[in-house]
Amino acid sequence: MYAPPGMPRWQHRLLLDLACNPNATVEEIATACGYKLSSCVAYLNAMSRAGLIDVAHNEDDCGRLPSTYRLTDEGEALFEEIVTADAALERLSRQRRRRQRQ
């Protein structure tokens, strides 16, 4: 899938995962993306500071406070940009393949 120029791969990957799995825990995100937990926490913190995600603290049965993450409106808009650009690139690629076959 298309990644905007200058966007780190980790940010792109986490953005896509959170778009598909809103309110995921850091453990779920790290597992889905194949990152170490400590790396994933650092990446999520950076995305939170950039205004792309919100962090919610939810109390579970054990009294711990697991954090869940979701895209902000800004993060959703960036995801939509990526999806739109990816669709445009796919159309161009199909057109190019058709021309090559002719």
Side-chain angles (χ1 to χ4, degrees):
M1 182 168 269
Y2 169 80
M7 176 182 275
R9 287 181 191 223
W10 60 263
Q11 188 177 36
H12 182 256
R13 189 160 189 171
L14 291 177
L15 189 73
L16 296 179
D17 186 68
L18 284 168
C20 296
N21 301 303
N23 299 313
T25 64
V26 67
E27 292 87 357
E28 293 168 336
I29 298 165
T31 299
C33 294
Y35 294 129
K36 291 181 181 179
L37 194 58
S38 59
S39 296
C40 193
V41 168
Y43 295 155
L44 290 167
N45 286 337
M47 290 178 71
S48 179
R49 285 190 304 274
L52 297 174
I53 61 171
D54 279 331
V55 183
H57 300 288
N58 306 308
E59 191 167 341
D60 69 6
D61 296 339
C62 301
R64 296 182 306 142
L65 295 173
S67 297
T68 57
Y69 300 84
R70 69 171 189 80
L71 296 178
T72 60
D73 290 342
E74 187 177 339
E76 290 280 350
L78 183 55
F79 173 73
E80 290 300 323
E81 277 182 45
I82 290 170
V83 169
T84 300
D86 192 56
L89 288 172
E90 181 59 32
R91 280 192 303 276
L92 287 172
S93 179
R94 280 194 308 266
Q95 289 172 355
R96 200 174 282 153
R97 284 192 301 266
R98 272 188 246 133
R99 276 186 250 145
Q100 289 174 346
R101 283 183 275 187
Q102 293 176 357

